[in-house]
Amino acid sequence: MKFPDSFIWGAATSAYQVEGAADEDGRGVSVWDVFCEKEGKILDGSNGKAACDQYHLMEEDVELMAEMGIQAYRFSLSWSRILPEGIGAVNQKGIDYYNRLIDCLLRHGIEPFVTLHHWDLPQTLQEKGGWMNPESVSWFGNFARIAAQAFSDRVKHFITFNEPQCFIGLGYYGDYHAPGLNCSMREAFLAAHHVLMAHGQAVKELRKYGKQPLQIGFAPAGKFTYPKTDSHKDVEAAKKMLTDILPLEEWWWSMTWWSDPIFLGKYPENVAEKYKDILPAATKEDIELISQPVDFIGQNIYDGRMVECGKDGEPFFTPEPLGFPHTHIKSPVTPEILYWMPKFLYERYQKPVVITENGMSNGDIVSADGKVHDGCRIAYVERYLSNLKRAVSEVPVKAYFHWSLIDNFEWAYGYQERFGLIYVDYPTQKRIIKDSGYWYRDVIASNGECLP
Ligand code: BGC
């Protein structure tokens, strides 16, 4: 069995993690530039100033993508490269860079998928309050308009936000990610509300200024679940845990808190009721803006927890057996999640699904033969994709994006975690396609037929 003919096999990155050239051609400062300078925030004391230098090595990277047969590249725009101050004057050199990248991709037959925002807010906007400032809705709308005007003649697919859960939960409420505010829970909920409104505003601007009919989505994270067996009881138990109220300290991982307002036009009642004392007032107009129609559900999916139905009829998390596999970054390996989550998402939101990220970090080492034999990654992706293959025979899944195309700056972990299909020797910026990259080429060439 193959995947549908229209299925798209892609790979993903984000601007701050790969571009480098942080001080070149008029790019403004982002919150991540500032955060990386704080003592002790990045495990290896590094930053994204050079990263994998894709800004200069873009053509080589696109050629490597073509060599692997990659059909779509999901990358993000650096807001401060395009608008150094976040609002106001446009930096033409920033626009030129993305034009070169888009044109180069298209010359190689690779479809660009553009994420507007992958965590790197311009620092000047953070200094104005960032996402806590209600004006952030129009700042982001303005940025979306500029992106539509500049790129939508050639770019059909846009994603508004990548994983707002992380910058709100880990970066606003927490201080593990930029900007590291340690704000109150009330402020975090307010910022999240503005992000959702900014998403809606961006959808409006993209539709208004788009030069062709666009396909627009959103790429959240979440805490996912899957059932221990296919039995009705376990499946219902997994769904209940997926939509249940999370403890206050974790609410931002809730799938429903972010996706229900967008796709169903309302905040989930169970959570809204429980935390009503600290929630911002959401008007009917706010919700209308948030729930602008979008075309697909983007979802980053790495892992989930197994759930079963107890003898008393109550769901519970199945304990992990001893020696359960984990990746280098300590994520559990749960391939079934790529079967169950597309089904749960489609059932709840009734839109085609795009897996906007999935992949693993590995302790990759270059062998004496000069190659990178990352058998672990092949085992991981093969098992996840086999589950996805089962899902596509039941629900519409449009595309899969491997995270990541290339090893890169892994946020608070610096360069210690390697997620790429392409290995990077950072001191020389030399690239090596890993065994998994060649294996992925074969999967793409057979349109998934070679997957078990
Ligand atoms: C993010 C990526 C990150 C990846 C691996 C996702 O949370 O969108 O930027 O590198 O996971 O941790």
Side-chain angles (χ1 to χ4, degrees), residues 13-15 18-21 24-25 52-59 61-62 65 73 75-78 81-82 91-105 151 154:
T13 63
S14 87
V18 301
E19 280 179 8
E24 284 180 53
D25 290 343
C52 24
D53 200 22
Q54 190 164 85
Y55 190 76
H56 296 110
L57 301 175
M58 178 271 284
E59 295 200 3
D61 287 349
V62 175
M65 285 181 226
Y73 182 41
F75 60 94
S76 77
L77 305 177
S78 155
R81 197 181 286 290
I82 292 179
N91 175 30
Q92 188 55 41
K93 289 193 169 158
I95 301 273
D96 292 346
Y97 168 67
Y98 294 109
N99 275 333
R100 286 200 302 279
L101 169 58
I102 292 164
D103 291 344
C104 187
L105 288 168
F151 311 124
R154 290 150 296 150

Side-chain angles (χ1 to χ4, degrees), residues 358-431:
N358 166 254
M360 70 171 283
S361 68
N362 195 31
D364 296 319
I365 298 172
V366 182
S367 290
D369 63 4
K371 298 184 176 160
V372 180
H373 302 298
D374 56 338
C376 264
R377 184 172 287 103
I378 296 177
Y380 175 103
V381 187
E382 183 176 64
R383 290 191 53 203
Y384 274 74
L385 285 180
S386 298
N387 277 277
L388 187 65
K389 189 174 183 175
R390 190 176 160 212
V392 299
S393 66
E394 297 177 30
V395 293
V397 183
K398 280 166 61 107
Y400 168 85
F401 287 87
H402 184 81
W403 185 274
S404 171
L405 172 73
I406 188 165
D407 291 344
N408 59 52
F409 175 72
E410 178 53 29
W411 308 113
Y413 294 90
Y415 295 92
Q416 299 295 319
E417 300 291 343
R418 293 182 178 271
F419 274 90
L421 296 168
I422 301 171
Y423 182 91
V424 177
D425 175 54
Y426 293 104
T428 61
Q429 291 293 351
K430 184 174 176 273
R431 273 79 162 129

Side-chain angles (χ1 to χ4, degrees), residues 320-339:
E320 262 184 20
L322 279 178
F324 195 79
H326 286 78
T327 68
H328 196 260
I329 208 171
K330 302 279 180 285
S331 305
V333 178
T334 59
E336 300 88 339
I337 205 70
L338 270 200
Y339 169 66

Side-chain angles (χ1 to χ4, degrees), residues 17 118-119 162-163 166 300 302 329 357 403 410-411 419:
Q17 293 180 274
H118 198 126
W119 307 356
N162 182 75
E163 298 192 354
C166 292
N300 295 353
Y302 289 87
I329 208 171
E357 285 181 26
W403 185 274
E410 178 53 29
W411 308 113
F419 274 90

